[in-house]
Amino acid sequence: MKKAVVVFSGGQDSTTCLVQALEQYDEVHAITFDYGQRHKLEIEVAEAVAKKLGVKAHKVMDVGLLNELAISSLTRDDIPVSHELQENGLPNSFVPGRNILFLTLAGIYAYQIGAQAVITGVCETDFSGYPDCRNDFIKAMNSALVQGMDRELDIVTPLMWLDKAETWALADKYDALELVRNETLTCYNGVIGDGCGDCHHVS
């Protein structure tokens, strides 16, 4: 039986990955991380979408320690999301170590349930400059998980080289475009569906 774990935020990209995974795997588990992000609504949307799509299991994990360690506009309500790059060349919405932590925990979960794949919606063509969305990082992280747990595992990134139009076309291929457009939450300012139209958003 082919099993997969989808890192699932409830946003457009991860929902597209989840819809595809449900077609490609016999059993799909979703894992959502509560790190005290800017909008609790993100967790509620993820739960509603996962239930609607009928995943085998949906685990919401408390990783609040990330909020303590990583100061970002996504972890602090008093820091507005800015379009301006910081001195380090990254947007202030970058949460250092977020995908390192998420993929590590998703890898552990995959190990426990015997899943062959961890699927994540990271994308290098639309990544807002986040270093932990690049293909080189994913390959390195995949290698570390395989070596560290001594078990074969693939980190699958269906959207890595797609632009937004191609991602939406992929959702449409699985008859999920309306769901992705209207019922997900990608917007950093907490607007479901099309979002506020202002903030950078990667999900």
Side-chain angles (χ1 to χ4, degrees):
M1 177 182 279
K2 288 175 62 182
K3 296 183 185 180
V5 174
V6 177
V7 178
F8 184 55
S9 71
Q12 293 174 355
D13 293 349
S14 63
T15 300
T16 301
C17 289
L18 182 57
V19 167
Q20 183 185 55
L22 287 163
E23 293 287 336
Q24 295 180 339
Y25 293 84
D26 301 310
E27 188 174 297
V28 176
H29 295 242
I31 186 167
T32 299
F33 298 102
D34 182 353
Y35 58 98
Q37 53 265 60
R38 202 173 182 90
H39 293 285
K40 276 290 184 191
L41 185 59
E42 186 175 295
I43 307 295
E44 295 171 21
V45 168
E47 289 177 325
V49 172
K51 185 176 181 181
K52 183 170 186 172
L53 291 174
V55 300
K56 171 72 174 178
H58 181 213
K59 187 178 288 291
V60 178
M61 296 207 65
D62 179 1
V63 288
L65 74 164
L66 181 61
N67 192 298
E68 291 184 42
L69 292 170
I71 297 173
S72 149
S73 64
L74 296 194
T75 59
R76 299 291 185 276
D77 288 337
D78 59 347
I79 303 175
V81 177
S82 172
H83 295 305
E84 303 300 319
L85 296 180
Q86 304 173 101
E87 287 182 10
N88 62 6
L90 297 172
N92 76 352
S93 54
F94 174 60
V95 182
R98 181 172 62 169
N99 283 343
I100 297 171
L101 179 62
F102 289 3
L103 290 170
T104 298
L105 295 174
I108 295 168
Y109 185 37
Y111 185 100
Q112 295 301 328
I113 65 170
Q116 297 85 8
V118 168
I119 300 171
T120 177
V122 297
C123 172
E124 192 162 321
T125 57
D126 180 31
F127 71 140
S128 299
Y130 297 171
D132 61 356
C133 289
R134 294 184 299 211
N135 195 50
D136 284 349
F137 161 72
I138 294 296
K139 287 193 292 187
M141 193 73 212
N142 201 152
S143 175
L145 288 172
V146 169
Q147 292 180 58
M149 295 193 290
D150 195 22
R151 179 179 176 276
E152 281 306 311
L153 179 73
D154 288 322
I155 300 179
V156 180
T157 55
L159 313 183
M160 181 59 74
W161 306 114
L162 304 185
D163 61 25
K164 186 57 74 177
E166 290 169 324
T167 298
W168 282 29
L170 184 61
D172 193 39
K173 175 183 175 183
Y174 295 107
D175 297 320
L177 184 56
E178 289 306 308
L179 170 72
V180 168
R181 280 200 65 173
N182 299 319
E183 298 181 42
T184 62
L185 175 58
T186 298
C187 174
Y188 287 165
N189 287 319
V191 181
I192 292 174
D194 288 338
C196 67
D198 183 54
C199 57
H200 288 287
H201 46 269
V202 175
S203 192

